[in-house]
Amino acid sequence: MSDILENPFVIPPGTVQQGLKRVRAFSLGELVVDSRAPLLVWGRPFVPEYFFPEADLKVELRPAGEGPASKVFGSSELFDVLVGARVVSRAARRHAESGVAALRHAYGLTWSAFDTWMEEDEVVFTHPRSPYVRVDALSSSRHVVVTVAGVVIADSHRPVVLYETGLVPRYYLPQVDVRMDLLVPTATVTHCPYKGTATYWDLAVEGAPIRDGAWSYRTPLPESAKVAGLVAFWPEKSPELHITVDGQEPGA
């Protein structure tokens, strides 16, 4: 067994920490919460949630029955959120019997139920940013080759390597170094609070098509600006898709 700790940045589920950022959420322009003392709560690794003191809520809550139990925080109760004359159904929850005392009187809001979230005065997408995640996009001269079933679909000596805490490095390549004629745009879109919105391509190699095997951030967030318009590939999608870096597969 290796004595190197492979990933020291996994936050154990059940961790609750005092947040330091001002956090606000809005629904159709109406303020739902404004907190300078949110709790950062990890119910699972990597992805935290915000929970708020009741005094920071700018809306009324109405009990809506029992909610799902958490493996780490126990039972929960759900609440409808009353935003003016509108009801956002079962969009708040509380773990009143949690073993973490600070969480018992705090309320979590379902992220997707509200259209705008802000940390300080910047809009945040998908979920709260973890204070333990760093993104470094570094220009490189490594030789990156991408093949599908033996067909070379990308060959570049000028990748940008994106290092994100807790994840494997990803190699983003200029489109001029990619066989774009073998990439077919799809309707798939994903969102990341650190990188922005990604769009995808199928890899249309005869005999080995791969669904959503490549992606790009056309207008990434500032910390990932160097990957704008570049193409990355997802070798985990298929055993036919291989990436070599300086002649070796990463992790080999």
Side-chain angles (χ1 to χ4, degrees), residues 29-223:
E30 295 193 51
L31 184 62
V32 174
V33 64
D34 185 350
S35 182
R36 290 166 172 79
L39 296 175
L40 270 172
V41 176
W42 278 266
R44 54 191 173 125
F46 299 113
V47 181
E49 296 179 82
Y50 281 123
F51 276 69
F52 304 98
E54 185 173 8
D56 292 346
L57 297 172
K58 307 304 178 184
V59 292
E60 293 184 32
L61 300 182
R62 182 175 64 195
E66 184 178 349
S70 164
K71 291 181 179 180
V72 290
F73 298 122
S75 62
S76 71
E77 51 188 324
L78 296 178
F79 299 83
D80 294 334
V81 179
L82 310 182
V83 185
R86 292 181 293 113
V87 177
V88 186
S89 178
R90 299 165 68 88
R93 79 180 192 278
R94 180 176 64 183
H95 295 279
E97 299 178 2
S98 171
V100 181
L103 198 58
R104 294 172 194 159
H105 303 287
Y107 294 83
L109 299 177
T110 301
W111 189 276
S112 59
F114 305 99
D115 50 69
T116 305
W117 286 84
M118 303 184 76
E119 292 178 345
E120 297 299 337
D121 289 343
E122 294 192 5
V123 176
V124 182
F125 302 94
T126 312
H127 60 75
R129 293 178 175 132
S130 168
Y132 303 104
V133 171
R134 178 186 173 98
V135 175
D136 290 305
L138 305 179
S139 299
S140 175
S141 58
R142 295 195 190 204
H143 185 201
V144 178
V145 178
V146 183
T147 61
V148 174
V151 177
V152 175
I153 59 173
D155 189 330
S156 182
H157 288 270
R158 46 185 172 174
V160 172
V161 189
L162 191 138
Y163 298 94
E164 183 175 344
T165 303
L167 302 179
V168 299
R170 297 295 185 185
Y171 297 86
Y172 286 77
L173 312 179
Q175 292 192 22
V176 294
D177 294 339
V178 176
R179 286 280 307 273
M180 297 301 295
D181 59 307
L182 298 178
L183 274 61
V184 179
T186 76
T188 302
V189 174
T190 60
H191 306 278
C192 172
Y194 312 104
K195 300 186 291 291
T197 299
T199 55
Y200 287 75
W201 292 273
D202 290 346
L203 306 183
V205 176
E206 186 174 355
I210 299 173
R211 177 70 176 169
D212 292 332
W215 74 90
S216 180
Y217 292 93
R218 293 176 181 171
T219 55
L221 297 173
E223 55 263 51

